[in-house]
Amino acid sequence: MGYALYALPACSLRFLPIWRRNLLVWKKLALASVLGNIADPLITLIAFGYGLGSLLQSINGIPYLHFLASGSICMSVMMAASFETLYSAFSRMHVQKTWEALLNAPMALDDVVLAEMLWAATKALFSGVAILGVIFLLGIGLHGTVVFVLPLLFLIGITFASLGLIINALAKGYDFFTYYFTLVLTPMVFLSGVYYPVAQLPPWLQGFATLLPLGAAVNLIRPLILGEWPPHPAADIGVLLIYSAIGFYVATVLTRRRLFK
């Protein structure tokens, strides 16, 4: 049992029916779900982009509205993936007992965790595409480099979904998620260059910010939306892949321990 608990995830294509099941459930409330996920970043974009943007015309030659929009899409994907792997996944695991029903079928727990991670990333991608459509209407991001944004948004969704599933495995109730949003996600937003350049932070915080997954996401997405190429794409993609791999492994181990102890 000890070896099985800490073994590397053993996943198969059996995750696909679970992913499809979540998609079919989501389709019933798709419009409300997408609107709910983009409401907060959209309000932020309008309030700060036009309000603060009227006082702060540009940052490093970039109009502030463009600077904020290219960071807000990363924040939207982060929040969408996190909400799905926290509140929705917890409901399926603990309240609705959906995971328990799935495990009575020829399904492995590792497949369930993988399906939840990929579904959350898919849903986050939907939210990111919706935000991308809004900023297109504002005349932002109309560049050929935007074609590379979509796969990166999915990778960002995977990253934060894997981290969210760790918290999901540890949570005893919905209230526990407040700590994660307050102590982890919200500070990350302010340290990752969404609202202002990381260069404005003290040097020691700048070094810390380079290790954050949201910081890597902003470093990748912002230049592409502005029609440029990221300065260090390999390093930033590497940061996201490391968080994704370690997060998925830890989430799988903790979920095994929770359900099979």
Side-chain angles (χ1 to χ4, degrees), residues 9-22 102-116 118:
C11 301
S12 68
L13 292 179
R14 287 176 293 183
F15 80 88
L16 283 172
I18 307 173
W19 180 91
R20 182 174 179 273
R21 178 259 175 205
N22 290 341
L102 290 171
L103 293 176
N104 286 324
M107 295 283 183
L109 180 59
D110 294 5
D111 293 319
V112 176
V113 176
L114 176 63
E116 290 289 348
L118 294 179

Side-chain angles (χ1 to χ4, degrees), residues 34 38 41-42 45 69-70 72-74 76-77 124-143 145-151 153 221 224-226:
V34 171
I38 69 173
L42 184 58
L45 182 62
S70 53
S72 294
I73 189 171
C74 299
S76 174
V77 170
L125 176 62
F126 293 158
S127 297
V129 170
I131 288 288
L132 197 60
V134 171
I135 67 175
F136 283 166
L137 293 176
L138 297 175
I140 304 170
L142 302 177
H143 306 284
T145 51
V146 174
V147 69
F148 297 102
V149 168
L150 296 180
L153 291 181
I221 299 300
L224 293 173
I225 289 181
L226 297 178

Side-chain angles (χ1 to χ4, degrees), residues 2 4 32 49 51 55 86 88 95 101 108 121 141 148 165 167 177 184 220 235 252:
L55 303 174
L86 297 179
S88 298
V95 180
F148 297 102
L165 286 170
I167 307 302
F177 302 142
V184 178
L220 289 167
T252 303

Side-chain angles (χ1 to χ4, degrees), residues 26-91:
W26 173 80
K27 283 174 63 177
K28 298 177 181 179
L29 300 171
L31 180 60
S33 176
V34 171
L35 290 177
N37 285 329
I38 69 173
D40 185 60
L42 184 58
I43 292 171
T44 300
L45 182 62
I46 294 174
F48 282 86
Y50 288 103
L52 186 58
S54 63
L55 303 174
L56 181 63
Q57 294 297 321
S58 66
I59 294 180
N60 299 327
I62 303 170
Y64 185 68
L65 180 61
H66 294 216
F67 181 91
L68 180 62
S70 53
S72 294
I73 189 171
C74 299
M75 181 178 66
S76 174
V77 170
M78 178 187 76
M79 290 299 184
S82 299
F83 269 101
E84 183 64 24
T85 50
L86 297 179
Y87 293 97
S88 298
F90 185 80
S91 295

